[in-house]
Amino acid sequence: MKPPQIRWGMLGGGPGSLIGIVHRIAAAMGDDYRLVGGVFSADHAKGLEFARDLELDPRRAYPHVDALIAGESALPQEQRMRLVTIATPNYLHYEAAKKLVGAGFHVLCEKPVTVSVAQADELARLVKSRGVVFAVAHTYTGYPMVRQLRAMVAAGMIGAVQKVHVQYYQGWINPILRDPGKRRSVWRLDPKRGGDSSCIGDIGVHCFNLVEYTTGLRVERLLAATDTGTSDNTLDVDGSVLLRLTGNVPGVLCASQIATAEENNLQLAVYGRTGALKWAQEIPQRLEFLQEERPLSVLTAGHAFNAPPARAASKLPPGHPEGFSDAMGNLYRGLGHAINGEPYDSGAFPEIDAGVRGMRFIEAVLQSASTGNHWCTL
Amino acid sequence: MKPPQIRWGMLGGGPGSLIGIVHRIAAAMGDDYRLVGGVFSADHAKGLEFARDLELDPRRAYPHVDALIAGESALPQEQRMRLVTIATPNYLHYEAAKKLVGAGFHVLCEKPVTVSVAQADELARLVKSRGVVFAVAHTYTGYPMVRQLRAMVAAGMIGAVQKVHVQYYQGWINPILRDPGKRRSVWRLDPKRGGDSSCIGDIGVHCFNLVEYTTGLRVERLLAATDTGTSDNTLDVDGSVLLRLTGNVPGVLCASQIATAEENNLQLAVYGRTGALKWAQEIPQRLEFLQEERPLSVLTAGHAFNAPPARAASKLPPGHPEGFSDAMGNLYRGLGHAINGEPYDSGAFPEIDAGVRGMRFIEAVLQSASTGNHWCTL
Amino acid sequence: MKPPQIRWGMLGGGPGSLIGIVHRIAAAMGDDYRLVGGVFSADHAKGLEFARDLELDPRRAYPHVDALIAGESALPQEQRMRLVTIATPNYLHYEAAKKLVGAGFHVLCEKPVTVSVAQADELARLVKSRGVVFAVAHTYTGYPMVRQLRAMVAAGMIGAVQKVHVQYYQGWINPILRDPGKRRSVWRLDPKRGGDSSCIGDIGVHCFNLVEYTTGLRVERLLAATDTGTSDNTLDVDGSVLLRLTGNVPGVLCASQIATAEENNLQLAVYGRTGALKWAQEIPQRLEFLQEERPLSVLTAGHAFNAPPARAASKLPPGHPEGFSDAMGNLYRGLGHAINGEPYDSGAFPEIDAGVRGMRFIEAVLQSASTGNHWCTL
Amino acid sequence: MKPPQIRWGMLGGGPGSLIGIVHRIAAAMGDDYRLVGGVFSADHAKGLEFARDLELDPRRAYPHVDALIAGESALPQEQRMRLVTIATPNYLHYEAAKKLVGAGFHVLCEKPVTVSVAQADELARLVKSRGVVFAVAHTYTGYPMVRQLRAMVAAGMIGAVQKVHVQYYQGWINPILRDPGKRRSVWRLDPKRGGDSSCIGDIGVHCFNLVEYTTGLRVERLLAATDTGTSDNTLDVDGSVLLRLTGNVPGVLCASQIATAEENNLQLAVYGRTGALKWAQEIPQRLEFLQEERPLSVLTAGHAFNAPPARAASKLPPGHPEGFSDAMGNLYRGLGHAINGEPYDSGAFPEIDAGVRGMRFIEAVLQSASTGNHWCTL
């Protein structure tokens, strides 16, 4: 018997928010959630109008997170919001997450979870002490073939990992960087709102997360060089990072937001003793499996012969593309199991530990880059 | 100001139905619809349980379409179901659609809309006389780059169309065809439930629809040869069709369900006097634009420079894949405009006329194939 | 011990000829041939200059084929030209081939070998009675992965063939067709020099050859519709052909020279009971192997695990592209074995029988197309 | 009027040598060269047999380079070998090159030209003082679309270069590395014969060369980390290199010979202010041209609209693949112009300066890698 739908709310993600749409579609995918309210906008009037458009109870369109906590906590348990998605600019994550976790809400937080390692550590402590479920929106882990990759590495199908290559090239910052007017409108390029890093904090951390998620290894040391693109910009918009993983396995992580005209070119290659696995986000339904002395295999999503976590992450038959929202939907599905106390796979969604690791990575990159490109430990 | 959410119901698409999930995700995409009930299963007990799982009012989980019509018609107008999606096996479409349209409901019907041209014509007459909106689920028309293709042809960017090639190759019927046990479980291979055609009726008609949708031309004549794969099967599982479009433009349409191990390999190429456009469903975010004396262009979804109908059909930035459910979501979005009496593009969703055309195509193919492969007019 | 280099000559393929360059590179690939003379140009002065450029004995730059036959026959056997490549316009093939074969020369002839079935039959008889080696330049059979495809079908790796799809789309005729000035300069569009067919005779016949070469089946019947593109053109520039192969296996063959802006888009797909093989000429080093219930395999050239005929057709390690000239080189290599009386694989090069089959195909297409699109037997 | 064919010889490249075949095909491509002799094998008997197989004058199958120089120098000028290709293991390059250049022969040398910067500098001095033509076999610069890339960067079509990414991943060393028997047979893994570097010296240097060749910028500084794969191997088989080019432009260069099961995965991406160019060796006929606010362009070889150096590097029409040997052929063609004193494009073939730069790169990588991964200048 299916458990009751989880009452769910959002911080941010309201009118005009792309990521808000993705979260609502994702939460709808398994019929597991019911949106009941949130703080949809910094402008309360807009938030109210948004709630009206969605035919939500306007009393649950709160002006701020404190009001949300107070309002929801006063409701009978079966009506009460249990999960809150945080989709605000980075600098607001920590305070909101701390309050919500402290009040016993489960949380799905956009990455990076905080703007410092200290905050992330503090949050992780709180999550553990309160016993809530805390997910981090590393959406790419929700793609079926990323889960297939992880399962195949774990099953030893490529042998011990001996080399990792990951790259994430985008070009969207490029035209903004050179236009001061445009630049002011982009919170990611404003250290006050986006944190100390642009490229590494926004996309480099996805690379890092994918490496640890798929290989099961840890990045132990790194050496990084970053670039700000223009002299009047203080945040990194490009970075290359040499990695050493558990057992001294070499890796390289390349990220750029000034890789002109690239769209969302995220690629991962994991090389093992006897084979390799390669995935590219722009055609996410495919996974290349290279083996010595054998032809290339191209696995695709939706097949019965895929590993169980990949199989469970496809809703449609092979050849029917599923995309970014579907990947996010898989995070929500796993999160639903966790919230309902049901068993779930360790790769079902990234938890607070992945958020902490991400912050350590960002901090180490910034430290290496700013201190003469030396090796730093995470 | 956003209009109220459209109350919406389903026939079929309940427990275990893949296409049902797609429709629910699609309807949720724009926050435009609210699922309120339906006939979710031929087994009423299962339908009730499904409604409970989705936390719908169990009184609106009806045992059959007549009960739905009666029940909904008795409700106050603002609560009443306005759109009903028909996702049952083909042979049930016509009766249900006729009743719903007759009672003034708007309808989204899976294709083929009926199992004969006569039924389709009758339905079209009824739709017109009742003034309801009737959409046909040719989902592929919902992909942004199919709409881009259509817009570019209409804008004369390839010159007058002089040749069309479309193919749809799948392999899923292949293992079923030779296993009598499996075959009985597949309604598409049972003439009583699937109609007189398998391959042409299920996938050939999508090819046909795409050709007329994108070129604006009509298929005037065709010559077809079909194949049943095995001697104990009576329905076509493979067919090749020579086409002549408006102005005697030649085309070829190739469809197969025994193209072993193909997934969902649907490809369209439209050649004009000065250029060509090519689209492949398995990587739907790309559209190839070939021009004489110029390099190949590859357009991708999500760009501001795409044609308005394509732009409106993308929710995410370039490089973030959207898939099959997103395409269906675009049909629901256009349909919502129509239901709400708002202006909408003629390509926003296929209407009953496209359903009638599809039936004429199927009938002409069967006629040509069964009478010595002569040219038949549509 | 390597046999002596085969003395070799050309008819046509001289100054300015693209295909002439390909033949010379191809013949050089295995160090098996030595170019000694030929009729390099219809203009003898130009032919002489060409011979001088290549530092050939000017006495062996003949004014016409009769002089070549007379001159070479007068030389001591070890100096004498043994192989002659015919690379002239189509209408000249038959007379030259007949004379050369009659005089005991081995021949490699561009396709189509003649301009009628009667000529081809006559030539075949002569070849057999004279015991010479006669190869037809169906160059695509020289690609390693076409040979791999053939070997895998023969080995039963996809089960019995149940469906064939082949297409060859080019756009180069398109701009020529509508420009009378340009059109006059293209011998393929002139029935006197190119024969009765343009599209089918030039590229459709390659499709046909590939089907018979790779499947081992025969095209028994066909139904064709062709198109001349413009009203003032009498030759086909577009054609679609329904096929029935040995055992009534269905196939479809699509060819066009007005597929605007297509380069050399030749694709073959062979579907069997349990798997399929797909090859595309523009990326010839890859062969897709589809299997039910298994991931897609992508075989590439140069691997030790490829079938012997494919292995033998690669000179370089995997990942080092070989192209069109290399494919032609493989025909020369096989032909060299035949000329030297060494054992050779039946797929090493297309022989006169393949030339005859090609002529029958062209004739059947023209007949079907001109008589109401009925089925014709080959 | 075409100049006389250039008499040409080889050191190495004899029986069983893959690269020897490539050189002979390449030299034959334009009918510009005539192979007359060489030192085809360290075993003189084998070299003689090889000469016999190729029907060369056995007196010109020399036992060693000194004999070649003596023998050829004694011949009349019009018969004398003018160009010698060096295709021996790396450690033999320098001595042979020095002698040949000293004796006034033109040279085409496989890379790396020497095993140290000092040797390379010495050789460069000698080349200049003797006025001979000295080419280095950076074959990838011979691909038409690499030349197109170079021409487009030079023409400002992507704006000022702001980021470079190049990678070369192979897997062939992987199985050899762990098998001591196999390892002994591979001279590249033997410091005495291959030099101080395996991965960087063999393939990393191609990356480096492509970067300088295509961007016109110089790598000024680098920071490298390398890996030996196993503890009993002393040579690098994997390396990642951070680059700073002229004007402090950042770059990253990734190379590996233990990227398991990769074939010859060399990829280059050059990002400029307004656009980018991307090329991948395994499908060399394509070049991606990314531009802001415009669709992706995919340029292909053989088109009249390509830049002159690219156009000149294609022998066949678009869509007819040319490969590795054809790329090498373009080097020979340019080299022929230089030898004949004809004008030639600065990108026609890499000269000794490129060889020297390559040695500086290798040396800087080894220095950075062995001294704590600090920045080193070239």
Side-chain angles (χ1 to χ4, degrees):
Chain A
M1 202 171 111
K2 203 175 160 80
Q5 291 184 331
I6 297 164
R7 272 58 193 158
W8 166 63
M10 300 182 80
L11 298 189
S17 164
L18 285 180
I19 200 70
I21 294 173
V22 171
H23 280 279
R24 282 196 302 284
I25 296 171
M29 283 193 171
D31 302 310
D32 298 331
Y33 294 87
R34 178 171 294 265
L35 181 65
V36 293
V39 182
F40 296 114
S41 173
D43 175 341
H44 187 44
K46 284 192 184 159
L48 275 169
E49 190 188 340
F50 187 76
R52 192 197 57 74
D53 285 350
L54 270 60
E55 305 192 8
L56 305 178
D57 182 341
R59 289 167 302 183
R60 296 173 89 170
Y62 300 99
H64 45 65
V65 67
D66 297 315
L68 181 148
I69 291 170
E72 293 296 320
S73 301
L75 291 173
Q77 195 163 353
E78 74 280 5
Q79 290 176 31
R80 200 182 296 162
M81 202 181 281
R82 296 170 69 196
L83 171 69
V84 179
T85 291
I86 303 178
T88 61
N90 297 348
Y91 75 106
L92 297 168
H93 291 178
Y94 172 65
E95 283 303 322
K98 212 168 69 169
K99 288 175 177 175
L100 287 163
V101 168
F105 290 86
H106 304 297
V107 169
L108 169 56
C109 188
E110 274 296 327
K111 40 66 24 192
V113 286
T114 64
V115 293
S116 76
V117 170
Q119 288 178 351
D121 280 339
E122 171 59 25
L123 199 54
R125 270 192 296 276
L126 197 59
V127 165
K128 260 140 221 175
S129 75
R130 292 302 314 234
V132 300
V133 183
F134 193 102
V136 183
H138 279 299
T139 313
Y140 302 119
T141 64
Y143 276 112
M145 300 322 274
V146 169
R147 295 182 174 199
Q148 179 72 20
L149 198 166
R150 171 182 153 100
M152 290 175 74
V153 171
M157 294 184 74
I158 60 169
V161 173
Q162 65 188 20
K163 165 85 179 183
V164 176
H165 176 103
V166 63
Q167 66 178 61
Y168 200 151
Y169 284 147
Q170 295 182 327
W172 70 278
I173 289 282
N174 189 57
I176 293 169
L177 195 65
R178 291 185 176 78
D179 181 329
K182 278 189 193 163
R183 203 199 293 181
R184 272 189 296 273
S185 71
V186 174
W187 63 256
R188 286 198 199 283
L189 284 173
D190 174 1
K192 287 191 198 115
R193 290 175 292 164
D196 294 333
S197 172
S198 173
C199 176
I200 293 298
D202 189 27
I203 61 176
V205 73
H206 275 304
C207 294
F208 167 83
N209 172 259
L210 276 182
V211 167
E212 295 205 337
Y213 179 81
T214 56
T215 64
L217 303 179
R218 293 233 152 179
V219 173
E220 296 187 333
R221 295 182 299 138
L222 61 79
L223 182 160
T226 60
D227 205 86
T228 62
T230 58
S231 58
D232 62 342
N233 169 42
T234 59
L235 295 182
D236 58 287
V237 291
D238 182 274
S240 298
V241 188
L242 310 181
L243 309 174
R244 285 295 177 271
L245 285 74
T246 315
N248 216 30
V249 169
V252 60
L253 183 159
C254 309
S256 187
Q257 295 172 318
I258 55 165
T260 316
E262 290 274 17
E263 297 188 345
N264 203 35
N265 186 353
L266 166 60
Q267 297 186 30
L268 172 67
V270 181
Y271 299 99
R273 284 285 187 278
T274 59
L277 288 158
K278 297 169 71 176
W279 179 79
Q281 191 272 157
E282 294 190 353
I283 307 183
Q285 62 271 32
R286 294 193 184 164
L287 175 65
E288 293 191 349
F289 177 32
L290 294 76
Q291 291 171 280
E292 288 188 335
E293 306 301 323
R294 303 202 45 185
L296 170 67
S297 278
V298 182
L299 291 97
T300 46
H303 282 286
F305 54 71
N306 284 339
R311 225 156 55 208
S314 293
K315 296 180 294 296
L316 298 176
H320 293 75
E322 298 190 72
F324 188 81
S325 300
D326 301 275
M328 184 74 92
N330 288 325
L331 266 55
Y332 272 90
R333 210 167 53 94
L335 183 53
H337 293 313
I339 290 172
N340 286 324
E342 295 164 353
Y344 64 97
D345 185 85
S346 65
F349 59 94
E351 306 206 38
I352 184 66
D353 287 348
V356 173
R357 289 290 297 165
M359 290 312 304
R360 282 200 206 295
F361 166 74
I362 296 169
E363 196 171 78
V365 167
L366 296 179
Q367 189 189 332
S368 176
S370 66
T371 59
N373 318 109
H374 295 137
W375 288 95
C376 294
T377 55
L378 266 75
Chain B
M1 200 170 115
K2 202 175 162 76
Q5 293 185 330
I6 296 164
R7 272 56 191 158
W8 165 63
M10 300 182 80
L11 299 190
S17 163
L18 285 179
I19 201 69
I21 294 173
V22 171
H23 280 278
R24 283 196 300 285
I25 296 170
M29 282 193 172
D31 301 311
D32 298 331
Y33 293 88
R34 178 169 296 264
L35 181 65
V36 292
V39 182
F40 297 115
S41 173
D43 175 341
H44 188 44
K46 283 191 185 161
L48 276 168
E49 189 189 340
F50 187 75
R52 191 198 56 77
D53 285 349
L54 268 61
E55 304 191 8
L56 305 177
D57 182 341
R59 288 167 303 182
R60 296 173 88 171
Y62 300 99
H64 44 65
V65 68
D66 297 313
L68 182 149
I69 291 171
E72 292 296 320
S73 301
L75 291 173
Q77 194 164 352
E78 73 280 4
Q79 290 176 32
R80 201 183 297 161
M81 202 181 282
R82 296 171 69 197
L83 173 69
V84 179
T85 291
I86 302 178
T88 60
N90 298 349
Y91 75 106
L92 296 169
H93 291 179
Y94 174 64
E95 283 303 322
K98 213 168 68 167
K99 288 175 178 175
L100 288 163
V101 168
F105 290 86
H106 304 296
V107 169
L108 170 55
C109 186
E110 275 297 327
K111 39 67 27 194
V113 286
T114 63
V115 292
S116 77
V117 170
Q119 289 179 350
D121 280 338
E122 170 60 24
L123 200 53
R125 270 191 297 275
L126 197 58
V127 165
K128 260 140 221 176
S129 74
R130 293 300 317 235
V132 301
V133 183
F134 194 102
V136 183
H138 279 299
T139 313
Y140 301 120
T141 64
Y143 276 112
M145 300 323 274
V146 169
R147 297 182 171 199
Q148 179 72 21
L149 198 166
R150 173 182 151 98
M152 290 175 75
V153 171
M157 295 184 73
I158 60 169
V161 173
Q162 65 188 21
K163 165 86 180 182
V164 176
H165 177 104
V166 62
Q167 66 178 60
Y168 199 151
Y169 283 148
Q170 295 183 328
W172 70 279
I173 289 282
N174 189 56
I176 292 167
L177 195 65
R178 291 185 177 77
D179 181 328
K182 278 188 190 163
R183 205 200 290 180
R184 273 189 294 273
S185 71
V186 174
W187 62 258
R188 286 199 198 284
L189 285 174
D190 175 1
K192 288 193 197 114
R193 289 175 292 165
D196 294 333
S197 172
S198 173
C199 176
I200 293 298
D202 189 26
I203 61 177
V205 72
H206 275 304
C207 294
F208 168 83
N209 172 259
L210 277 181
V211 167
E212 295 205 335
Y213 180 81
T214 57
T215 64
L217 303 181
R218 293 233 154 179
V219 174
E220 297 187 333
R221 294 184 299 138
L222 61 78
L223 181 160
T226 61
D227 204 87
T228 62
T230 57
S231 58
D232 61 342
N233 169 41
T234 59
L235 296 181
D236 58 288
V237 291
D238 182 274
S240 298
V241 188
L242 310 181
L243 308 174
R244 285 296 178 270
L245 286 74
T246 315
N248 215 28
V249 169
V252 59
L253 184 159
C254 310
S256 188
Q257 295 172 319
I258 55 164
T260 317
E262 289 274 16
E263 297 187 346
N264 202 35
N265 187 353
L266 166 61
Q267 298 187 30
L268 173 67
V270 181
Y271 299 98
R273 284 286 187 279
T274 60
L277 289 158
K278 296 168 73 176
W279 180 78
Q281 192 270 159
E282 294 190 351
I283 308 183
Q285 63 271 31
R286 296 193 183 163
L287 175 65
E288 292 191 350
F289 177 32
L290 295 74
Q291 291 171 279
E292 288 189 335
E293 306 301 322
R294 301 200 49 182
L296 170 68
S297 277
V298 182
L299 291 97
T300 47
H303 282 284
F305 54 71
N306 284 339
R311 226 158 53 211
S314 293
K315 296 179 295 295
L316 298 176
H320 293 75
E322 298 190 73
F324 189 81
S325 300
D326 301 275
M328 183 75 93
N330 288 325
L331 266 56
Y332 272 91
R333 211 167 52 93
L335 183 54
H337 292 314
I339 290 172
N340 286 325
E342 295 164 353
Y344 64 97
D345 185 86
S346 66
F349 58 94
E351 306 204 40
I352 183 66
D353 288 348
V356 173
R357 289 290 298 164
M359 289 312 304
R360 283 199 204 294
F361 166 73
I362 296 169
E363 197 171 76
V365 167
L366 295 180
Q367 189 189 333
S368 176
S370 65
T371 58
N373 317 111
H374 296 137
W375 288 94
C376 296
T377 56
L378 266 74
Chain C
M1 201 172 116
K2 204 175 161 77
Q5 292 185 330
I6 297 164
R7 272 56 190 157
W8 165 63
M10 301 181 79
L11 298 191
S17 163
L18 286 179
I19 201 69
I21 294 174
V22 172
H23 280 278
R24 283 197 300 285
I25 296 171
M29 281 193 173
D31 301 310
D32 298 331
Y33 294 88
R34 179 170 295 264
L35 181 65
V36 292
V39 182
F40 297 115
S41 174
D43 175 341
H44 187 45
K46 284 192 185 161
L48 276 168
E49 189 188 342
F50 187 75
R52 193 199 54 76
D53 285 349
L54 269 59
E55 303 191 9
L56 304 179
D57 183 341
R59 290 168 298 182
R60 296 172 88 171
Y62 299 100
H64 45 65
V65 66
D66 297 315
L68 181 147
I69 291 171
E72 293 296 321
S73 301
L75 291 173
Q77 193 163 353
E78 73 281 3
Q79 291 177 30
R80 199 183 299 164
M81 201 181 285
R82 297 170 67 197
L83 171 69
V84 180
T85 291
I86 303 179
T88 60
N90 298 349
Y91 76 106
L92 298 168
H93 291 178
Y94 173 64
E95 284 303 322
K98 215 168 67 167
K99 288 175 178 176
L100 287 163
V101 169
F105 290 87
H106 305 295
V107 170
L108 169 56
C109 186
E110 274 296 327
K111 39 66 27 192
V113 284
T114 63
V115 292
S116 76
V117 171
Q119 288 179 351
D121 279 337
E122 171 59 25
L123 199 53
R125 270 190 297 275
L126 197 59
V127 165
K128 260 142 222 176
S129 75
R130 294 300 316 232
V132 300
V133 183
F134 193 102
V136 183
H138 279 299
T139 314
Y140 301 118
T141 64
Y143 276 112
M145 301 322 274
V146 169
R147 297 183 173 199
Q148 179 72 20
L149 198 166
R150 173 181 152 99
M152 289 175 75
V153 171
M157 295 184 74
I158 60 168
V161 173
Q162 65 188 21
K163 165 87 180 181
V164 175
H165 176 105
V166 63
Q167 67 178 60
Y168 200 151
Y169 283 148
Q170 294 183 327
W172 71 279
I173 290 281
N174 189 56
I176 293 168
L177 194 65
R178 292 187 174 76
D179 181 329
K182 278 188 191 163
R183 206 200 289 181
R184 274 188 295 274
S185 72
V186 174
W187 62 258
R188 286 199 197 283
L189 285 175
D190 174 1
K192 286 191 201 118
R193 290 175 291 164
D196 295 332
S197 172
S198 173
C199 176
I200 293 298
D202 189 27
I203 61 175
V205 72
H206 275 305
C207 293
F208 168 82
N209 173 259
L210 277 181
V211 168
E212 295 204 337
Y213 180 80
T214 57
T215 65
L217 303 181
R218 292 235 153 178
V219 173
E220 297 188 333
R221 295 184 298 138
L222 61 77
L223 181 160
T226 60
D227 205 86
T228 61
T230 58
S231 59
D232 62 342
N233 169 42
T234 60
L235 295 182
D236 58 287
V237 292
D238 182 274
S240 298
V241 188
L242 309 182
L243 309 173
R244 286 294 178 270
L245 285 75
T246 315
N248 214 29
V249 169
V252 59
L253 184 159
C254 309
S256 188
Q257 294 173 319
I258 55 165
T260 318
E262 290 275 15
E263 298 186 347
N264 203 34
N265 187 353
L266 165 60
Q267 298 187 30
L268 172 67
V270 181
Y271 299 98
R273 284 286 188 278
T274 60
L277 289 159
K278 296 168 73 176
W279 179 79
Q281 191 270 157
E282 295 190 353
I283 308 184
Q285 63 271 31
R286 295 192 184 165
L287 175 66
E288 292 191 349
F289 177 31
L290 295 75
Q291 291 170 278
E292 289 189 334
E293 307 301 323
R294 301 201 48 182
L296 170 68
S297 276
V298 182
L299 291 97
T300 46
H303 283 285
F305 53 73
N306 284 339
R311 226 156 55 209
S314 293
K315 297 180 293 297
L316 298 176
H320 294 74
E322 297 188 73
F324 188 81
S325 300
D326 302 274
M328 184 75 93
N330 288 324
L331 267 54
Y332 272 91
R333 211 166 52 93
L335 182 54
H337 293 312
I339 291 172
N340 287 325
E342 296 164 351
Y344 63 98
D345 185 86
S346 66
F349 60 93
E351 305 204 39
I352 183 66
D353 288 348
V356 172
R357 288 291 298 164
M359 289 313 303
R360 283 201 202 293
F361 166 75
I362 296 169
E363 196 171 77
V365 167
L366 296 180
Q367 189 189 333
S368 176
S370 66
T371 58
N373 317 111
H374 296 140
W375 288 95
C376 295
T377 55
L378 265 76
Chain D
M1 201 172 112
K2 203 174 161 78
Q5 292 185 330
I6 297 164
R7 273 56 191 158
W8 166 63
M10 300 181 79
L11 298 190
S17 163
L18 286 180
I19 202 69
I21 294 173
V22 172
H23 280 279
R24 282 196 301 284
I25 296 171
M29 283 194 171
D31 301 309
D32 298 331
Y33 293 88
R34 178 171 295 265
L35 181 65
V36 292
V39 182
F40 296 115
S41 173
D43 175 342
H44 187 44
K46 285 191 185 161
L48 275 168
E49 190 188 338
F50 187 76
R52 191 198 56 78
D53 285 349
L54 270 61
E55 303 191 10
L56 305 178
D57 183 340
R59 290 168 299 184
R60 297 172 89 170
Y62 299 98
H64 45 65
V65 68
D66 296 315
L68 181 148
I69 291 170
E72 293 296 321
S73 301
L75 291 173
Q77 195 163 351
E78 72 280 4
Q79 290 175 33
R80 200 183 298 161
M81 203 181 281
R82 297 170 69 196
L83 171 69
V84 179
T85 291
I86 304 179
T88 60
N90 298 348
Y91 76 107
L92 297 168
H93 291 179
Y94 173 64
E95 283 304 322
K98 215 169 67 168
K99 288 175 176 174
L100 288 164
V101 168
F105 290 87
H106 305 296
V107 170
L108 169 56
C109 186
E110 274 297 326
K111 38 61 36 186
V113 285
T114 63
V115 294
S116 76
V117 171
Q119 289 178 350
D121 279 339
E122 172 59 25
L123 200 53
R125 270 192 297 276
L126 197 58
V127 165
K128 260 140 223 176
S129 75
R130 292 301 315 235
V132 301
V133 184
F134 193 101
V136 183
H138 280 299
T139 313
Y140 302 119
T141 64
Y143 276 112
M145 300 322 274
V146 169
R147 296 181 172 198
Q148 178 72 19
L149 198 166
R150 173 182 151 99
M152 289 175 76
V153 171
M157 294 185 74
I158 60 168
V161 174
Q162 64 188 21
K163 165 86 180 182
V164 176
H165 177 103
V166 63
Q167 66 179 59
Y168 201 151
Y169 283 148
Q170 294 182 328
W172 71 278
I173 289 284
N174 190 55
I176 293 167
L177 195 65
R178 289 183 178 79
D179 181 330
K182 280 188 190 163
R183 204 199 292 179
R184 271 188 297 273
S185 71
V186 175
W187 62 256
R188 286 199 198 283
L189 285 174
D190 174 2
K192 287 193 197 113
R193 290 175 292 164
D196 295 333
S197 172
S198 173
C199 176
I200 293 299
D202 188 27
I203 61 176
V205 73
H206 275 303
C207 294
F208 167 83
N209 172 259
L210 276 182
V211 168
E212 294 205 336
Y213 179 81
T214 56
T215 65
L217 303 180
R218 293 234 155 178
V219 174
E220 297 187 332
R221 296 182 299 137
L222 62 78
L223 181 159
T226 59
D227 205 86
T228 61
T230 57
S231 58
D232 61 342
N233 169 42
T234 59
L235 295 181
D236 58 287
V237 291
D238 181 276
S240 298
V241 188
L242 310 180
L243 309 174
R244 285 295 177 272
L245 285 74
T246 315
N248 215 30
V249 169
V252 59
L253 183 159
C254 309
S256 187
Q257 294 171 319
I258 55 164
T260 317
E262 289 273 17
E263 299 187 346
N264 203 35
N265 186 352
L266 166 59
Q267 298 186 30
L268 172 67
V270 181
Y271 299 98
R273 284 287 187 278
T274 60
L277 289 159
K278 297 168 73 176
W279 180 78
Q281 192 271 159
E282 294 189 353
I283 307 184
Q285 63 270 34
R286 295 193 184 164
L287 175 66
E288 292 191 350
F289 177 31
L290 294 76
Q291 289 171 281
E292 288 188 337
E293 307 300 323
R294 301 203 46 184
L296 170 68
S297 279
V298 182
L299 292 96
T300 46
H303 283 285
F305 55 71
N306 284 339
R311 226 156 54 209
S314 293
K315 297 179 293 297
L316 298 176
H320 293 75
E322 298 189 73
F324 189 81
S325 300
D326 301 275
M328 184 74 93
N330 288 325
L331 267 55
Y332 272 91
R333 211 166 53 93
L335 183 53
H337 293 313
I339 291 172
N340 286 325
E342 296 164 353
Y344 63 97
D345 185 85
S346 65
F349 59 95
E351 306 204 39
I352 183 65
D353 288 348
V356 173
R357 289 290 297 163
M359 289 312 303
R360 283 201 204 294
F361 166 74
I362 296 168
E363 195 170 77
V365 167
L366 295 179
Q367 188 188 335
S368 176
S370 66
T371 60
N373 317 108
H374 295 137
W375 288 95
C376 295
T377 55
L378 264 74

